[in-house]
Amino acid sequence: MREILVAAAVSLLLSMLGTPLAIRLFSRRGYGQSIREEGPSGHHDKRGTPTMGGTVFVIASLIGFACAHLYSFTPPTVSAVLVLFLMTGLGAVGFLDDFIKIYKQRSLGLRSGAKALGQLIVGAVFAVLVTRFPNEYQITPAETRLSFLRDVGPSIGIVVFTIWVLIMIVGFSNAVNLTDGLDGLASGATGVVLASYVLIGNWQLRNSCTVQLSPNCYWVRDPLDLAVVAAAVLGGLVGFLWWNAPPAKIFMGDTGSLALGGVLAGLAITTRTQLLLIILAGMCVLITMSVIIQVSFFKMTGKRVFRMAPLQHHFELAGWAETTIVVRFWLIAALCAATGLGLFYVEWTPSL
């Protein structure tokens, strides 16, 4: 439990103090955000705000995780290293996308095909490795099965499982990317999910099948270290949110949003809660669905369902203040996370 606190505290401190340094550095070098001309008119005032802020909390998270293990004198586990690899790899893809936007002074960075290829390469490495490395109990970081509160049903085979993992990784990294449209929105929406995984990992540790067999015990390889990962990223994200809250002094960019989506997908896969993530991260899923609905309906009818997609921009054009949208969406994100946690713990509720 102390490792969780150390990881969160170190990454929070580094991110809180490191972000203003990044703001000054990026501003001096001209690493400012480009704004789409077709976007809401209120966003034009944000042109030039430093971006790529995700590099700060990604680095802070890695250092916080390392400090937690230095404190406990224990080596990092395979599950945690794989999730951090996924976060860092997708963050690197996002960094390249952000850098091209800045270098060419345009709102589009990597071409969609190149960006997707980068996500798939990182995701494929993770998908292949996550079913390997059994521990002394022959438990691997993930099994080739679907999961909700735990693994369910028979094995779906390594090929289908790899495809499913890639869908999750690309889907959630893009979902967080779409959510990152207003100051602090993605930071707050993903922060509550990370907090949920701190609780989930700690609970799985206390009820591990390797400690005591029971009907509801968990076959999770490294639950404590996964909670440490979630705490480290959460601490870094909270420190970043201090400067990213409306009005934002810095944006996380694709560097941060792709990294956050990757760590959420990685935690869901390694804690055996893949389908539960759809509920926990319901706010990001809802925003992604608004884009799918908008594009599909427009292609079929030539008309729009929303004034603009993603969903947060619909409410901007409807006249809502940005802070109102952000706070209300945070509340919805918290309700989604609470619902997911309630479902996770419901099987431990004594039956009447």
Side-chain angles (χ1 to χ4, degrees):
M1 187 64 184
R2 291 179 180 177
E3 295 95 323
I4 294 174
L5 297 177
V6 170
V10 171
S11 61
L12 170 63
L13 184 63
L14 289 175
S15 184
M16 181 78 77
L17 298 178
T19 302
L21 297 178
I23 292 172
R24 288 196 290 270
L25 175 64
F26 293 165
S27 296
R28 192 179 304 123
R29 292 181 173 273
Y31 292 175
Q33 177 71 40
S34 298
I35 303 297
R36 290 186 304 166
E37 293 298 330
E38 66 271 20
S41 57
H43 286 210
H44 295 163
D45 295 336
K46 301 181 181 184
R47 181 177 282 109
T49 301
T51 188
M52 294 196 302
T55 54
V56 178
F57 66 75
V58 169
I59 293 172
S61 301
L62 295 173
I63 296 174
F65 177 81
C67 288
H69 281 277
L70 289 173
Y71 171 82
S72 62
F73 292 103
T74 57
T77 62
V78 172
S79 300
V81 170
L82 286 174
V83 174
L84 291 174
F85 160 77
L86 184 60
M87 176 186 75
T88 308
L90 291 177
V93 174
F95 181 87
L96 184 59
D97 186 59
D98 286 332
F99 188 79
I100 292 174
K101 291 176 186 176
I102 293 167
Y103 182 75
K104 296 194 174 182
Q105 287 297 299
R106 65 187 192 191
S107 60
L108 296 176
L110 284 172
R111 296 186 182 276
S112 58
K115 189 174 179 179
L117 179 61
Q119 291 172 294
L120 289 172
I121 291 173
V122 175
V125 174
F126 175 85
V128 170
L129 296 179
V130 80
T131 55
R132 302 174 184 270
F133 307 106
N135 63 6
E136 63 271 25
Y137 299 100
Q138 297 304 304
I139 306 173
T140 52
E143 296 284 346
T144 56
R145 300 163 67 188
L146 296 177
S147 61
F148 182 51
L149 306 180
R150 61 188 75 250
D151 287 331
V152 293
S155 170
I156 58 176
I158 187 63
V159 174
V160 176
F161 179 76
T162 299
I163 294 172
W164 166 241
V165 168
L166 290 175
I167 290 172
M168 283 195 65
I169 291 170
V170 174
F172 277 99
S173 59
N174 286 330
V176 177
N177 186 238
L178 290 171
T179 304
D180 184 34
L182 298 180
D183 297 355
L185 179 56
S187 301
T190 54
V192 292
V193 185
L194 289 166
S196 300
Y197 274 111
V198 174
L199 297 175
I200 287 172
N202 188 52
W203 186 257
Q204 289 177 333
L205 171 68
R206 295 174 183 273
N207 297 277
S208 173
C209 295
T210 62
V211 177
Q212 182 178 1
L213 287 173
S214 66
N216 293 330
C217 67
Y218 301 98
W219 291 104
V220 176
R221 190 188 192 281
D222 307 300
L224 174 59
D225 222 16
L226 292 172
V228 172
V229 169
V233 181
L234 176 60
L237 193 59
V238 171
F240 175 77
L241 181 57
W242 182 268
W243 305 98
N244 181 234
K249 301 293 189 296
I250 188 171
F251 300 140
M252 68 171 65
D254 283 20
T255 306
S257 59
L258 294 188
L260 285 175
V263 78
L264 294 186
L267 287 169
I269 292 163
T270 50
T271 59
R272 319 293 177 96
T273 56
Q274 300 158 17
L275 298 176
L276 184 64
L277 180 59
I278 297 173
I279 300 172
L280 289 169
M283 184 73 261
C284 298
V285 173
L286 180 63
I287 287 174
T288 304
M289 289 303 300
S290 72
V291 175
I292 295 172
I293 291 170
Q294 181 87 321
V295 172
S296 301
F297 194 79
F298 185 79
K299 286 184 176 180
M300 289 188 295
T301 66
K303 299 180 180 179
R304 292 177 171 83
V305 176
F306 307 106
R307 287 183 170 91
M308 186 177 180
L311 187 61
Q312 61 268 31
H313 298 318
H314 167 82
F315 291 105
E316 273 193 290
L317 296 180
W320 290 24
E322 180 173 359
T323 51
T324 301
I325 300 169
V326 170
V327 172
R328 288 178 177 174
F329 276 37
W330 280 352
L331 292 174
I332 295 172
L335 288 172
C336 290
T339 301
L341 278 177
L343 290 172
F344 179 77
Y345 286 111
V346 73
E347 64 180 356
W348 294 89
T349 304
S351 57
L352 297 177

